[in-house]
Amino acid sequence: MSGALAPLRLNGRLSCPRVSVWRVGMAGPVSGFRLAIRSAVQGWRLLTAVALGMVMTVTLLAVVPIYATLVSNTQIAAELAAASPSERSMEVTAHIIPFWQAHSNDVDRAVMDARTHDIPSGVITSTTEYLEVDRPFTIINANGRPIGAKQGFTALAGYTSGGQLDFLAFNYAEAMPHMKMIAGRLPRVTPAGAPAEVLVTPAYGAKLGTKLTIQDSANKKRFLKAVVVGVWFPRDENDLFWNGRGFETVVPGFSSKLTAPPVYPLLFQRSAFESLVSFQPASPSEAPLGVVAHYVWFVGTRGVTVKNEKGVTSGVIALRDDLNGNILGANNVREVGLATRLDAILSQGRDLLGLLRLPLYSVAAQLVVMALLFIMTMVGLLVESQGSVIATLRSRGASMTQMLQTYIAQGVVVSALALVAGPLLAAALALFVIVAYVPAARASGMSISLGAALREAPYQQAAVPALAGAGLALVTLIVAVWQSARADALAYRRRQGRPDQAPFWRRYYLDLGLAALVIAGYSQLALFGAPGARAELASVGATGSFDLIQTFTPALMLVVGALLILRVTPWLLRLGAWLAARGRGVTGMLALSHATRASSAFNRIVLLLALSVGVGLFTLSFQTALARSAVADAYYQVGADERVDFQPPENGTPPTWPFLAKFATLPGVRAVSPVYRSTASVDSNGVSGPVDLLAIDPATFAQTAAWNPGDAKQPLATLLARMQGAEQGAQAGQASHPIPTLVSEQFVQSLALLVGDTFQMAPQESQAAYPMQFVIVGVVSDFPTLFNEYASGFVIPDVNDYVAALANPNLSTYTSSGPNEVLMRTAPGASAAARRARALSDPNYFVADTLDARRLAVTFAADPLSAGMTGLLVTGAWLAWLFALVALFAQIGIAARQRMTQFAVLRTLGLGRTTLLRTLLGEQAMMYVTGAFGGVALSALLDVAALPFLAINSSTYLPPVIGVPAPALTLNVAGSALFLAGLLAMFGLALLSVSYVAQSSGLGQALRVGED
């Protein structure tokens, strides 16, 4: 041996002179750092991969609070955008009677002070105010000609005369951009004694210059003079500025049911308005004139965020108290009120966001587990690639402290970089998911710039998860180094040729213990994890005692499933090696025997591939299930393609049976079915209480309604045939003529009844509790549009018999006009839907509301909660691909280099070069196939166990949640096939890379050992 390489004996150990840091037994203060720099330079590729894993771990943990804040802001903005202007804005009304201008100014200041004190700054985007008289006026003379009687519904001199007038005064500087001047100009102040200038709407029909004589409807001796100087109408009545106030005056024709004349708006200049209404009655018998001051404060869709939501909600409540306590009774204020649903919308949104907590953190936990496993894999490969160097240094006197110091120094640097970059990447990732996958982000006017996301990101909340991620990554690195660095050169070489010792978790059956914990967690999820149960707990302020277990159970199940796969894998490898040893050829035996010996490296890659494939396939199933669930929930809530609700009879709605034929002729309508929706009081077998009631027509329901065959054990046709065959006609509901009825399972269980039994109920419409008789002809588990709101469930009687019973004076005191709803099956198409909507807007149809299942399904699919979680999973699936790809190619290079000597020896013993190359490819193929099949098994396990708890959207909360259909387990066949095809292509590319790396790394030269 040459002098340059001759070993020196230090402290009884052999040492190489070139390794100068171990000249003494104890490590120098900087020796570990010097070695860390040298090790980082030599293994920079794998260290970069480790850094990627650390950064992604910090990012995925930090993204949870950041994403939760951004998606919560998006959800709040979407809810405010979906609300009507009058619901989300705040309108204070102060009734001042009698009215004086000084009082008005004092009220203005008091209201403004209350707003400043109670409502957080930045919430209100703009304001306006206007005045309105507290009672109508009547026109008695126009251009000197008297107006006719009969409530004034006659035309005279080119304008619509009569009716009543509502005096209004706006701030025209604010209102003018929202007004369309059809003719004339704005009103101005007139000299004393001259007629006041006014604006009218086209519905009144008055021409410019028309002079009006107006009489106070409560003070017949008081007359006002006005002249029309302009005709106007809002540019858009739905404009936020008008806050839901309409100006479309409808002049009905002569009708015996007409009870009130139309009211026309008359707009004054404000100072002229105040002069006209400020007067003192001449005698106590004269009714004083009052004015209602309207203060409208507009809240934009981005005015409320997670940061100020609680302050806004409490501020609205405090504002109501301040108005009643400080303004009511002062300055002639008789009544004061605050009209808004802002606090209710935000409270409902807060409950809905509470439902997001479990699925959001569950999804994030799965991705974090995958990132941590990637770190473990890459650290293992890093240490494995330097295993011979570590073993040599340990044999030559390097201490464990020096080894740990080397890698800890590298890990601390990488962790510091991850702590800096992770939160910024988390904000960018959260923003990307919301912008790419949440349509409501743009529709609600959300700021989608990175700067806005960085401003809104709660970095204080993200700091702890980021530190936790960096700490977990660093601990993972230390554990991996400690396990590998304990071996000296002899132990390292011995481990190369012998099977690895079973890991700690397998020797002590920790995977089976974790499996028991998963089972316990899912038992809690079954009780408290469903959307309905979570919503009920949120509504009473309960959080449950197993929130942590519920949150991390799906991620823990992912780990347990992967560990169970690894528990089975050694048996399969040993079985394969045993079979290969008894077969012909050595390729399979060599591949399987090496995989059995080097089980640690094999298991790391298999585990990472299984998790990557499992998360990817689960994402596809999640997307498909969520999309189908949105459609199923929409149709369940609507009951058909479209549902029409009639106005109640007290609004003058005529008998509704004739409307069925009219609806059948509407554009795109293919079938109609009448429905009567109500509640009733049941009293049978000692049980009493309310039940939901939905009367249907058995002759037309099947052709019209949306029905899920799983909602009943018997076919729908059979149930409807029983109903139709048992119809009773005009005597329905009497003791001897019970109404045929379908009932829910909850109903028969609570009342202890069976099919064929009779029971009695009293309709809620009847003032007298006359019982009607019903007979059970079938039982259903669920029924479209019905939810188990009451303990006794719901009932579905025959609509023909039930309406006949309501018309029977012996059974009911209620005068029914017929069905109050109509289900319609319609053809798809926007054009037909628009024409149908215009037809139904005709007041002669007496339609109160319409619900379209197709539009509702689109709304549910775009829900920020579900769409955002889908985007987060899709992003995680792409990260899984990235992790798997990096790990595969890193493992390829290390495996090829580590096998050079072994293959050279085998080649010297006579094995062909092609045989050895096939052996290396066979080892890789076994690894990929095992990981792929394990991933498929994991995805199936997640689909069955986790999907019902993670698939959630606003459809599961907006109606009564108990009874909403659970998301159906679905398989995206096309997407899964495409995913697996891409996976196969990636595996093929990896196998080609194995061959290339092996050849370029000197395997070709090594295989020619012994050749001439």
Side-chain angles (χ1 to χ4, degrees):
M1 180 178 295
S2 65
L5 298 177
L8 299 178
R9 184 174 296 276
L10 297 176
N11 297 329
R13 298 179 183 271
L14 292 177
S15 179
C16 180
R18 289 178 296 176
V19 184
S20 59
V21 292
W22 287 285
R23 293 176 180 172
V24 295
M26 297 299 293
V30 296
S31 59
F33 296 103
R34 293 170 59 187
L35 185 59
I37 296 174
R38 181 177 300 178
S39 175
V41 171
Q42 293 176 351
W44 68 270
R45 293 181 179 86
L46 288 174
L47 186 61
T48 301
V50 173
L52 173 65
M54 285 187 169
V55 171
M56 287 297 101
T57 301
V58 174
T59 300
L60 290 173
L61 282 173
V63 80
V64 173
I66 295 176
Y67 171 80
T69 297
L70 294 182
V71 79
S72 298
N73 290 344
T74 304
Q75 179 70 28
I76 292 173
E79 291 172 357
L80 293 178
S84 66
S86 59
E87 289 179 325
R88 73 169 184 260
S89 299
M90 290 177 276
E91 182 171 355
V92 175
T93 55
H95 186 190
I96 309 172
I97 180 170
F99 175 81
W100 299 102
Q101 186 173 359
H103 293 160
S104 175
N105 295 335
D106 292 340
V107 173
D108 289 348
R109 286 190 294 270
V111 171
M112 294 302 106
D113 290 343
R115 186 193 74 184
T116 304
H117 179 267
D118 297 325
I119 305 301
S121 60
V123 175
I124 298 173
T125 57
S126 59
T127 65
T128 190
E129 60 181 272
Y130 64 95
L131 303 177
E132 179 182 20
V133 291
D134 65 349
R135 62 174 181 258
F137 282 65
T138 305
I139 295 181
I140 62 171
N141 187 289
N143 289 333
R145 303 182 63 179
I147 304 302
K150 288 190 177 180
Q151 301 288 356
F153 299 130
T154 58
L156 178 65
Y159 59 88
T160 304
S161 58
Q164 293 184 334
L165 299 176
D166 184 18
F167 288 7
L168 298 166
F170 284 89
N171 183 334
Y172 296 106
E174 298 171 351
M176 193 58 193
H178 310 276
M179 300 173 64
K180 180 180 180 182
M181 292 300 300
I182 300 173
R185 57 174 175 79
L186 292 174
R188 301 169 182 167
V189 179
T190 57
E197 296 184 348
V198 296
L199 299 180
V200 297
T201 58
Y204 192 70
K207 297 180 180 180
L208 296 180
T210 301
K211 296 180 180 180
L212 307 175
T213 302
I214 306 169
Q215 183 183 52
D216 189 342
S217 58
N219 188 354
K220 302 298 183 180
K221 297 181 180 181
R222 187 161 188 262
F223 299 93
L224 304 175
K225 299 288 185 178
V227 59
V228 177
V229 297
V231 180
W232 80 286
F233 202 72
R235 294 182 183 273
D236 180 8
E237 282 191 283
N238 297 321
D239 190 337
L240 177 66
F241 180 83
W242 304 114
N243 200 40
R245 187 183 187 101
F247 297 91
E248 185 69 54
T249 304
V250 178
V251 183
F254 290 103
S255 171
S256 59
K257 292 186 177 181
L258 191 60
T259 57
V263 178
Y264 300 93
L266 204 64
L267 272 58
F268 290 79
Q269 198 274 343
R270 175 153 182 156
S271 59
F273 175 94
E274 293 176 344
S275 299
L276 288 173
V277 299
S278 297
F279 81 102
Q280 184 69 30
S283 64
S285 62
E286 296 182 11
L289 183 63
V291 168
V292 178
H294 296 259
Y295 305 89
V296 185
W297 305 328
F298 303 108
V299 177
T301 57
R302 298 297 297 163
V304 184
T305 63
V306 172
K307 294 181 180 180
N308 64 2
E309 177 269 330
K310 291 185 179 179
V312 174
T313 304
S314 59
V316 171
I317 297 173
L319 180 62
R320 288 194 177 98
D321 294 338
D322 284 351
L323 293 175
N324 290 323
N326 300 330
I327 299 176
L328 185 63
N331 300 305
N332 293 346
V333 176
R334 300 283 185 89
E335 295 178 8
V336 65
L338 174 62
T340 185
R341 289 197 67 252
L342 181 62
D343 52 338
I345 294 173
L346 296 179
S347 297
Q348 177 175 292
R350 190 187 313 124
D351 294 340
L352 188 57
L353 293 174
L355 298 181
L356 170 67
R357 193 175 299 117
L358 174 62
L360 173 60
Y361 280 87
S362 295
V363 168
Q366 295 177 51
L367 302 182
V368 169
V369 166
M370 185 176 58
L372 289 176
L373 179 60
F374 175 76
I375 294 176
M376 292 179 60
T377 302
M378 300 315 299
V379 170
L381 291 175
L382 175 63
V383 175
E384 186 178 332
S385 68
Q386 300 176 352
S388 60
V389 176
I390 294 174
T392 301
L393 293 176
R394 290 280 292 133
S395 300
R396 294 181 178 182
S399 66
M400 192 65 170
T401 302
Q402 289 175 308
M403 292 295 97
L404 289 177
Q405 186 181 22
T406 299
Y407 289 97
I408 290 175
Q410 299 176 31
V412 168
V413 172
V414 174
S415 298
L417 294 176
L419 279 175
V420 175
L424 298 178
L425 289 176
L429 176 60
L431 180 65
F432 167 76
V433 170
I434 292 175
V435 172
Y437 294 96
V438 182
R442 295 182 181 273
S444 62
M446 175 185 175
S447 299
I448 55 176
S449 65
L450 181 59
L454 294 176
R455 288 193 301 270
E456 296 180 4
Y459 291 110
Q460 292 180 347
Q461 300 177 22
V464 174
L467 288 172
L472 285 173
L474 190 59
V475 169
T476 302
L477 184 145
I478 293 173
V479 171
V481 172
W482 181 76
Q483 289 180 341
S484 299
R486 290 179 300 171
D488 56 15
L490 180 61
Y492 175 77
R493 295 300 178 188
R494 185 181 299 136
R495 194 171 59 186
Q496 295 289 311
R498 296 182 181 180
D500 291 340
Q501 183 182 15
F504 177 81
W505 59 265
R506 189 187 300 167
R507 295 198 305 269
Y508 292 94
Y509 301 97
L510 294 183
D511 54 338
L512 300 182
L514 290 176
L517 183 61
V518 168
I519 294 174
Y522 271 104
S523 66
Q524 296 301 323
L525 279 174
L527 293 175
F528 306 111
R534 296 208 305 272
E536 285 192 337
L537 290 174
S539 65
V540 297
T543 58
S545 57
F546 292 88
D547 285 351
L548 188 62
I549 295 179
Q550 292 179 27
T551 299
F552 292 102
T553 292
L556 188 60
M557 184 201 62
L558 198 66
V559 175
V560 170
L563 293 180
L564 292 178
I565 292 174
L566 295 186
R567 177 172 285 278
V568 176
T569 299
W571 298 345
L572 297 178
L573 292 177
R574 285 195 292 268
L575 177 62
W578 182 80
L579 294 175
R582 284 154 180 76
R584 300 181 60 182
V586 297
T587 302
M589 183 186 67
L590 287 174
L592 287 166
S593 61
H594 181 267
T596 303
R597 289 194 304 270
S599 59
S600 296
F602 184 89
N603 289 341
R604 284 196 300 266
I605 300 299
V606 167
L607 189 59
L608 183 60
L609 286 176
L611 290 180
S612 300
V613 174
V615 170
L617 292 177
F618 174 71
T619 297
L620 295 172
S621 299
F622 183 88
Q623 285 182 297
T624 304
L626 211 57
R628 295 184 179 179
S629 176
V631 175
D633 289 345
Y635 273 89
Y636 189 89
Q637 293 186 37
V638 176
D641 293 333
E642 204 164 332
R643 188 176 82 210
V644 176
D645 299 344
F646 286 112
Q647 295 181 9
E650 52 266 26
N651 286 4
T653 303
T656 56
W657 288 108
F659 285 95
L660 297 178
K662 294 182 179 181
F663 287 164
T665 62
L666 292 175
V669 175
R670 295 175 175 175
V672 297
S673 183
V675 170
Y676 190 92
R677 186 182 306 275
S678 183
T679 58
S681 297
V682 65
D683 187 4
S684 183
N685 286 356
V687 177
S688 61
V691 294
D692 273 323
L693 183 146
L694 182 73
I696 64 171
D697 181 17
T700 59
F701 184 82
Q703 295 80 22
T704 309
W707 174 257
N708 180 9
D711 289 344
K713 296 179 180 179
Q714 294 178 303
L716 178 63
T718 301
L719 298 175
L720 296 179
R722 291 180 185 175
M723 292 182 69
Q724 193 170 9
E727 287 182 346
Q728 301 297 314
Q731 296 179 325
Q734 297 181 3
S736 58
H737 296 82
I739 300 173
T741 306
L742 302 176
V743 299
S744 65
E745 292 178 349
Q746 189 171 342
F747 184 87
V748 295
Q749 292 172 2
S750 61
L751 275 71
L753 297 174
L754 300 172
V755 174
D757 289 348
T758 59
F759 61 94
Q760 62 182 18
M761 292 191 305
Q764 64 93 15
E765 295 90 348
S766 180
Q767 297 179 357
Y770 298 122
M772 296 180 184
Q773 300 298 319
F774 299 81
V775 59
I776 301 176
V777 298
V779 180
V780 298
S781 57
D782 292 296
F783 204 83
T785 75
L786 290 177
F787 306 92
N788 292 315
E789 295 183 77
Y790 302 111
S792 298
F794 54 80
V795 296
I796 307 104
D798 186 298
V799 69
N800 303 288
D801 283 357
Y802 190 74
V803 172
L806 288 177
N808 190 336
N810 296 322
L811 298 175
S812 174
T813 60
Y814 179 73
T815 302
S816 172
S817 60
N820 54 18
E821 294 180 2
V822 176
L823 300 179
M824 298 191 300
R825 182 166 60 90
T826 61
S831 176
R835 288 184 288 129
R836 190 165 55 248
R838 286 195 298 268
L840 292 175
S841 64
D842 187 339
N844 292 322
Y845 279 101
F846 296 91
V847 172
D849 193 16
T850 59
L851 289 175
D852 190 318
R854 295 186 181 96
R855 288 202 302 265
L856 195 60
V858 173
T859 301
F860 288 163
D863 183 78
L865 302 184
S866 57
M869 281 190 294
T870 300
L872 198 60
L873 270 176
V874 171
T875 303
W878 283 107
L879 287 176
W881 273 81
L882 176 62
F883 290 159
L885 192 63
V886 172
L888 284 179
F889 283 94
Q891 191 270 341
I892 286 170
I894 293 174
R897 287 193 296 270
Q898 287 180 341
R899 305 291 295 282
M900 292 301 101
T901 303
Q902 179 186 4
F903 280 172
V905 173
L906 291 174
R907 183 67 186 95
T908 303
L909 294 176
L911 292 182
R913 184 165 64 94
T914 305
T915 301
L916 295 181
L917 190 57
R918 285 203 306 266
T919 300
L920 183 58
L921 295 177
E923 293 173 7
Q924 298 295 319
M926 283 190 299
M927 190 182 303
Y928 304 156
V929 171
T930 304
F933 277 102
V936 171
L938 282 179
S939 68
L941 189 62
L942 279 173
D943 288 345
V944 174
L947 189 61
F949 311 110
L950 298 183
I952 177 177
N953 56 42
S954 59
S955 67
T956 59
Y957 182 78
L958 294 179
V961 291
I962 305 301
V964 174
L969 298 179
T970 55
L971 177 63
N972 188 336
V973 178
S976 299
L978 185 62
F979 179 86
L980 293 176
L983 193 68
L984 183 62
M986 186 178 74
F987 289 167
L989 180 62
L991 292 175
L992 291 176
S993 300
V994 168
S995 177
Y996 172 77
V997 172
Q999 296 291 346
S1000 62
S1001 300
L1003 179 58
Q1005 289 78 8
L1007 291 178
R1008 288 195 294 270
V1009 174
E1011 294 183 354
D1012 295 329

